Amino acid sequence: MLDEVLAALAPRDGGIYVDGTFGNGGYTNGILSSADTRVIGIDRDPTAIANAQDMAAAHQGRLTLVSGCFGDMAVLVPPVLGSMGVPAADGIALDLGVSSMQLDQAERGFSFRLDGPLDMRMDAGAGDTPSAADVVNTYEPKDLAQIFKVLGEERQARRVAQAIVRRREDEPFTRTADLADVVAQAIGGKPQRIHPATRVFQALRIYVNDELGELARGLMAAEKLLVEGGRLAVVSFHSLEDRVVKRFLAARSGAVANPSRHLPEAVAGPEPSFRLLSRKAQEPTDAEISRNPRARSAKLRAAERTSAPMHEVDMSEAGLAALGLPRMMAGLVAEGGAA
Ligand SMILES: C[S@@+](CC[C@H](N)C(=O)[O-])C[C@H]1O[C@@H](n2cnc3c(N)ncnc32)[C@H](O)[C@@H]1O
């Protein structure tokens, strides 16, 4: 959704933009080519940052690369802005999920089609967070089922969790193809349009990378980093992600209904810190979907920062605790997710 994201960001000469999900640099290239801008490109995958060194050199100081998570933008970005002599950013783009490059490399362990080590961490090796293998080999069946049900919308979540637990008693999982086979057998049934392990793999990936917690922290960081009039554009691919973005922007733009029309303004909440650019999420055009079928579930939400002070940082607003996911990552722990 590059064209739509660029239309939302409306890059201007002299502007400084944060691409929080640098990937292959497609969005960054678009921002750098549409005006005389500078970009701070962030990615948690060290390979994405390493691959971008030539691109940064070619742009001669207009592209600064940062290795890290966009959930930590509030800490990572101010020193870079400071070195550029500005206090705030003019735009922030987030294109959530994994890149085609990550999916297509068997050794990254994201794919059920290509056999590889069962890992799925975008920043494998950067910390001591559990890999997908750690999760499937050690979690309680009820926790596995909750992950598959909530993050994968897998209707047979319990049956899949039980099959995994039965199999791991004989031999722990180490490879993606092995897990994909066990999941496919547990689900059974007629051949489907998508691989039967798609939903379980998606759920594990979102879980091990704490993608929903990252998103909630990233949105709050964006509120802090944007200048008045600065734009935020978020592309999501999963209904839960879209719900987190929608809830955040609704709360921050004053679109959440006043609990009572009898309450005075002051009780209704703080002044809106964002103005929605459109009420509904934008979806990709048919032409884009036929060019890139992975874009079919994309949704773009965009908003403009107002002059109002940022609202209080409150992770519970994202509604993640209600998902009942097992505790693991900072975001879920901070919010007191189910133990
Ligand atoms: C869908 S791709 C982005 C593609 C990019 N817009 C492009 O045009 O090439 C998502 C990228 O964001 C990175 N990513 C995902 N979650 C992240 C996070 N929380 N912090 C930083 N990078 C993240 C992934 O490693 C991946 O490279």
Side-chain angles (χ1 to χ4, degrees), residues 18 37 105 110 226 290 310 319:
V18 177
T37 55
Q105 285 177 341
F110 287 106
L226 284 170
S290 61
M310 66 179 289

Side-chain angles (χ1 to χ4, degrees), residues 20-27 42-45 68-70 95-99 102 122 214:
T21 49
F22 180 83
N24 298 325
Y27 280 21
I42 304 176
D43 205 293
R44 72 192 292 180
D45 182 346
C69 288
F70 63 67
D95 181 17
L96 303 174
V98 272
S99 65
Q102 289 164 329
M122 295 183 206
E214 269 297 304

Side-chain angles (χ1 to χ4, degrees), residues 7-334:
L9 291 178
R12 59 164 188 85
D13 286 347
I16 296 176
Y17 297 84
V18 177
D19 179 353
T21 49
F22 180 83
N24 298 325
Y27 280 21
T28 288
N29 247 326
I31 298 168
L32 288 170
S33 345
S34 45
D36 185 12
T37 55
R38 279 180 287 175
V39 172
I40 302 170
I42 304 176
D43 205 293
R44 72 192 292 180
D45 182 346
T47 318
I49 297 295
N51 290 346
Q53 297 302 325
D54 288 350
M55 179 176 165
H59 283 288
Q60 301 180 330
R62 291 179 62 206
L63 169 59
T64 305
L65 295 166
V66 178
S67 199
C69 288
F70 63 67
D72 299 326
M73 272 190 307
V75 178
L76 295 174
V77 170
V80 186
L81 291 173
S83 70
M84 294 171 170
V86 292
D90 297 282
I92 296 180
L94 299 178
D95 181 17
L96 303 174
V98 272
S99 65
S100 313
M101 184 186 75
Q102 289 164 329
L103 279 175
D104 296 340
Q105 285 177 341
E107 66 275 16
R108 303 302 301 269
F110 287 106
S111 175
F112 42 79
R113 292 182 199 285
L114 308 167
D115 188 32
L118 185 57
D119 194 308
M120 297 196 196
R121 288 169 298 180
M122 295 183 206
D123 42 8
D128 53 5
T129 56
S131 67
D134 294 328
V135 172
V136 297
N137 288 326
T138 62
Y139 276 37
E140 297 283 328
K142 71 167 179 26
D143 288 340
L144 288 176
Q146 186 70 1
I147 292 171
F148 302 154
K149 184 172 128 199
V150 171
L151 299 178
E153 293 168 44
E154 173 54 65
R155 283 199 305 254
Q156 313 219 45
R158 277 183 53 191
R159 182 201 285 248
V160 173
Q162 280 157 2
I164 287 175
V165 171
R166 264 197 311 276
R167 182 9 246 280
R168 79 187 187 196
E169 280 163 11
D170 297 331
E171 193 189 344
F173 289 92
T174 58
R175 310 286 301 176
T176 54
D178 186 18
L179 177 65
D181 285 348
V182 170
V183 173
Q185 271 177 30
I187 290 175
K190 289 190 242 129
Q192 303 167 356
R193 193 172 52 84
I194 60 164
H195 189 289
T198 308
R199 292 177 293 274
V200 165
F201 270 61
Q202 170 188 280
L204 282 170
R205 191 206 82 214
I206 295 177
Y207 183 76
V208 299
N209 292 292
D210 187 22
E211 292 180 36
L212 296 177
E214 269 297 304
L215 176 56
R217 289 188 290 278
L219 294 171
M220 291 181 205
E223 183 186 39
K224 180 170 178 201
L225 293 172
L226 284 170
V227 72
E228 177 184 352
R231 301 275 179 92
L232 170 65
V234 186
V235 178
S236 65
F237 293 86
H238 186 287
S239 56
L240 280 176
E241 283 173 351
D242 183 53
R243 201 168 81 192
V244 172
V245 182
K246 186 177 168 185
R247 281 173 72 141
F248 172 81
L249 289 179
R252 297 303 204 262
S253 64
V256 173
N258 186 338
S260 159
R261 64 194 163 84
H262 304 296
L263 287 176
E265 277 293 293
V267 184
E271 214 185 314
S273 55
F274 279 100
R275 176 181 75 78
L276 299 181
L277 293 185
S278 71
R279 284 200 81 75
K280 286 182 78 172
Q282 269 182 275
E283 294 181 8
T285 58
D286 292 344
E288 174 159 10
I289 296 173
S290 61
R291 251 194 339 266
N292 173 17
R294 280 174 184 164
R296 67 183 176 277
S297 47
K299 284 205 159 75
L300 164 67
R301 293 193 186 269
E304 184 176 281
R305 185 74 171 87
T306 67
S307 59
M310 66 179 289
H311 295 198
E312 214 172 287
V313 172
D314 178 1
M315 276 295 287
S316 69
E317 270 179 348
L320 302 185
L323 301 178
L325 291 166
R327 238 179 236 216
M328 172 180 71
M329 304 289 187
L332 298 169
V333 172

